Amino acid sequence: SYELTQPPSVSVSPGQTATITCSGDKLGDKFTCWYQHKPGQSPVLVIYEDTKRPSGIPERFSASHSGNTATLTISGAQALDEADYFCHAWDSGMVVFGGGTKLTVL
Amino acid sequence: DVQVVQSGAEVKKPGATVKISCEFSGDTFTDYYIHWVQRAPGKGLEWVGRIDLEDGYTKYAEKFQDRVTMTADSSLETAYLELSSLRPEDTAVYYCAAGTTDLLGIPSDFWGEGTLVTVSS
């Protein structure tokens, strides 16, 4: 089955740039999305179709996609950005999530 | 606006079956797919599967294939997730998400608030 690999954790100080990667076989051939998930809340889509930001998502969230790696960047991370982040792609008609990255901002 | 409202928390014993619901409103029911996603404690998001509300066609993740059944009742505009032979590791919050495509990950997906299923003896 298809797998997406993320670092388990990333830690930054407030105002710094947080970078979260997601890698997978032939990921360059697929669209990647990113979800933010906070405890007690539903997942929130922060990036879709590799680099697009949904309405209402702050501009500090951006993403890129090169080769078999997708990258989520949070510029000027804030305490409220502390959450689990999951990349997501589609493979053979199935939805696949990465293992998730816990972002700590302190 | 589309809304999906999920049923309340469930507590089940190992080996039992649970059936949770996702009530849809705000648009044409049969234009949508319902996806189910699991978040177990200390684990990541995991796609369970989806159902096409137009024709009831389902696609399940391999991990759940043998134990999951997704159905829908168009008269009630409600989708259901049934998970059988429950084990403690099925303890999780299960989210439903309504989308107009068979693949999650577009801004017009609408997520429910989640249903906690606890499996404990």
Side-chain angles (χ1 to χ4, degrees):
Chain A
S1 60
Y2 192 74
E3 292 186 3
L4 295 171
T5 301
Q6 299 181 233
S9 63
V10 167
S11 183
V12 297
S13 299
Q16 286 190 326
T17 295
T19 300
I20 300 172
T21 58
C22 172
S23 61
D25 185 42
K26 297 182 181 178
L27 186 59
D29 297 338
K30 309 176 192 297
F31 274 133
T32 304
C33 315
W34 291 91
Y35 285 92
Q36 176 193 71
H37 196 202
K38 296 181 180 180
Q41 299 182 19
S42 302
V44 174
L45 184 70
V46 295
I47 296 288
Y48 69 104
E49 292 181 3
D50 291 343
T51 61
K52 297 177 181 178
R53 196 173 53 249
S55 173
I57 300 301
E59 290 184 8
R60 63 179 180 274
F61 287 86
S62 64
S64 60
H65 195 159
S66 178
N68 291 331
T69 300
T71 302
L72 175 70
T73 300
I74 307 172
S75 305
Q78 300 179 9
L80 58 82
D81 299 328
E82 195 163 280
D84 295 325
Y85 289 85
F86 296 88
C87 61
H88 153 202
W90 311 318
D91 179 74
S92 302
M94 304 280 198
V95 172
V96 179
F97 289 101
T101 299
K102 182 175 181 60
L103 174 65
T104 301
V105 182
L106 51 70
Chain B
D1 272 2
V2 170
Q3 284 192 320
V4 286
V5 177
Q6 299 188 229
S7 51
E10 301 267 7
V11 179
K12 295 289 183 182
K13 293 193 183 305
T17 295
V18 70
K19 188 172 183 177
I20 60 178
S21 66
C22 175
E23 185 177 351
F24 176 96
S25 64
D27 204 342
T28 304
F29 184 70
T30 52
D31 285 348
Y32 283 77
Y33 297 78
I34 293 289
H35 298 257
W36 292 92
V37 176
Q38 178 198 63
R39 180 85 197 261
K43 304 289 186 182
L45 294 175
E46 190 141 20
W47 185 71
V48 181
R50 70 168 179 267
I51 181 168
D52 183 341
L53 300 180
E54 182 176 26
D55 56 15
Y57 178 78
T58 55
K59 196 163 185 76
Y60 303 140
E62 195 175 319
K63 174 181 175 180
F64 299 98
Q65 182 128 17
D66 294 338
R67 300 190 295 128
V68 70
T69 304
M70 294 178 188
T71 56
D73 185 332
S74 58
S75 66
L76 297 177
E77 296 194 323
T78 300
Y80 302 93
L81 169 68
E82 186 173 285
L83 191 59
S84 63
S85 302
L86 288 169
R87 26 209 199 223
E89 52 266 38
D90 293 322
T91 293
V93 176
Y94 291 82
Y95 296 95
C96 68
T100 53
T101 72
D102 56 351
L103 297 168
L104 272 180
I106 60 175
S108 58
D109 294 333
F110 299 91
W111 288 71
E113 71 275 27
T115 295
L116 174 62
V117 174
T118 303
V119 183
S120 173
S121 55

